[in-house]
Amino acid sequence: MTTSTSSRGAAKRALLSLAIGSFGIGMTEFVVMGLLPDIAQDLLPTAWAASPDDAIAQTGWLITLYALGVVVGAPTIAGSVARFPRHRVMICLALALTLFNALTFVLPTFELVAASRFLAGLPHGAYFGIGALVAADVLGPGNRAKGVAFVLTGLTVANVVGVPLGTYLGQQVGWRAAFVVVAGIFALATVFIMFFVPEHPGEPGRTLRAELGVFRVGQVWATLAFGAIGFGGFFAVYSYVAPVVTEVAGSPEWAVPIILVVMGIGMTIGNLVGGHLADIDQRRTLLLGLSALAVVLALLALTAQWIYAVAFFVFLTGLVSSALSPAIQTRLMDVAGDNQSIAAALNHSALNLGNSMGAFLGGLVITAGFGFAAPAWAGVALALAGLAIATVSLTRDRRRVAVPAPA
């Protein structure tokens, strides 16, 4: 399916159907972060009674396990299904997301909920990766990053609408109610994909073994590294937004959903802007984006005691970090050669490895007694490390282009 063979209306319906699923993914991934205190009190009552800070840090493992599910599932699922028609694969992935998120709201203990979060993460990367290939094909050459950004818009809009509403619902009714809504969204996405994403062939000759050849490409590893480490800076902060608002800035609990809306607006704007910037100059988008992320996180750490400063720098954090995502996605597709299915999914392995790393390091500095603003400083270090790797990787690309081919 290309822009020459499908109407604009059909293309928009297909992209919207995929974006509904990405909305659900954005909600299931991020709503936990605003509900950490509620989940900790419910599932870890003994730890909460002894030390709320430690209980919240332990509950952060739910974020880590989801992210690890993405890291494991993205390459294995995407590589295994590369030969199948992509629209059918997308239906199966949406069904799996429905089931695994339903488990989260019915399972009774912390250990079982943790297992369900790992399972819910498994289809995440393959959904976005294969969906990105469909979206890039729909909009055609020169607009690939815009197509990727359209699908990712569902994720960012989730941070404007779904996550804050899910957080508020979870605070008022119980945290499990948020996951009832999430499962319903994935069920809706399944139906829309069935009806509106037309047949889209896979690559019949591709096997998992062939797709795994992507890991022999050095620039793929470099892109995964700066994507994971650099984006980890964002997640180090996002994972602990709720206690920053309530404990550091001293604001009431109802302010948490508002701050999440502000961050979601920044993410939505950043995603759309980043898609355009990546199509214009991918290299500059990556280097300036990682530099700006480090600066913004440092300013957030320095001003976290003032709620209006928190709102402003949280907005900028969402904007800058989301502007990076389409550029990282398209770079992976550029350097992967023939291994497009697994490369597209690996972007989300990288981002969620960053999620896992950021959440872990954020919890580590909190447990060490540095306070709830300290994860922002951990985020600065991660963003700068990602920038260093990106600079080396992109410089090697330019040197290779500059060396003339032998006569």
Side-chain angles (χ1 to χ4, degrees):
M1 182 178 64
T2 66
T3 52
S4 62
T5 59
S6 64
S7 69
R8 289 176 62 87
K12 288 181 180 179
R13 287 190 292 272
L15 292 174
L16 178 62
S17 300
L18 297 173
I20 292 172
S22 72
F23 180 94
I25 288 176
M27 190 169 175
T28 192
E29 180 174 15
F30 298 127
V31 76
V32 172
M33 299 171 184
L35 293 172
L36 283 181
D38 304 86
I39 298 172
Q41 289 182 68
D42 180 39
L43 296 182
L44 299 169
T46 303
W48 179 268
S51 171
D53 286 5
D54 289 349
I56 290 173
Q58 184 177 344
T59 307
W61 275 97
L62 298 181
I63 302 169
T64 300
L65 287 168
Y66 179 92
L68 289 176
V70 180
V71 173
V72 171
T76 54
I77 295 176
S80 298
V81 302
R83 65 185 183 275
F84 298 113
R86 289 172 180 157
H87 65 290
R88 295 182 184 175
V89 171
M90 296 303 293
I91 292 170
C92 293
L93 292 172
L95 282 171
L97 286 162
T98 305
L99 173 62
F100 294 145
N101 280 279
L103 289 176
T104 297
F105 72 76
V106 299
L107 293 174
T109 67
F110 179 81
E111 291 76 15
L112 291 175
V113 168
S116 77
R117 297 310 294 155
F118 176 80
L119 291 173
L122 292 174
H124 173 131
Y127 183 97
F128 274 122
I130 297 172
L133 294 176
V134 175
D137 191 40
V138 164
L139 293 186
N143 294 293
R144 295 180 310 146
K146 295 184 185 71
V148 171
F150 192 101
V151 174
L152 290 173
T153 296
L155 187 151
T156 58
V157 170
N159 285 277
V160 180
V161 180
V163 174
L165 287 180
T167 300
Y168 180 78
L169 180 65
Q171 290 173 344
Q172 301 302 313
V173 181
W175 66 268
R176 294 179 188 274
F179 289 93
V180 176
V181 175
V182 168
I185 291 168
F186 283 126
L188 180 65
T190 304
V191 174
F192 268 67
I193 292 169
M194 284 180 180
F195 283 100
F196 297 121
V197 175
E199 292 189 8
H200 197 285
E203 301 175 80
R206 299 301 293 179
T207 64
L208 176 60
R209 182 177 180 179
E211 286 285 316
L212 290 176
V214 73
F215 292 111
R216 293 193 292 268
V217 181
Q219 286 287 28
V220 168
W221 280 106
T223 305
L224 291 174
F226 70 70
I229 296 171
F231 231 78
F234 165 74
F235 285 111
V237 170
Y238 197 5
S239 300
Y240 300 97
V241 162
V244 167
V245 171
T246 58
E247 303 299 323
V248 182
S251 295
E253 191 177 59
W254 56 258
V256 174
I258 296 174
I259 296 298
L260 292 174
V261 168
V262 170
M263 178 172 271
I265 293 172
M267 292 175 70
T268 301
I269 295 171
N271 179 60
L272 296 175
V273 171
H276 287 276
L277 293 178
D279 280 330
I280 295 169
D281 192 329
Q282 182 189 90
R283 180 180 184 275
R284 183 173 296 180
T285 300
L286 289 168
L287 296 180
L288 291 181
L290 288 165
S291 301
L293 182 59
V295 172
V296 169
L297 292 176
L299 292 172
L300 174 61
L302 291 170
T303 60
Q305 64 268 38
W306 298 299
I307 188 61
Y308 292 110
V310 169
F312 178 69
F313 288 116
V314 157
F315 169 81
L316 290 181
T317 299
L319 188 152
V320 173
S321 59
S322 287
L324 288 165
S325 190
I328 296 171
Q329 179 82 73
T330 52
R331 175 161 176 79
L332 271 173
M333 294 162 67
D334 288 341
V335 299
D338 295 330
N339 309 294
Q340 290 293 295
S341 292
I342 196 168
L346 281 172
N347 180 39
H348 298 277
S349 283
L351 298 184
N352 281 272
L353 187 59
N355 186 342
S356 176
M357 186 187 314
F360 173 75
L361 292 177
L364 197 64
V365 295
I366 291 170
T367 303
F370 292 106
F372 287 112
W377 289 115
V380 171
L382 289 170
L384 290 175
L387 174 63
I389 298 170
T391 300
V392 172
S393 173
L394 294 166
T395 299
R396 287 182 177 177
D397 269 2
R398 299 190 81 177
R399 287 175 179 170
R400 188 177 298 114
V401 170
V403 175

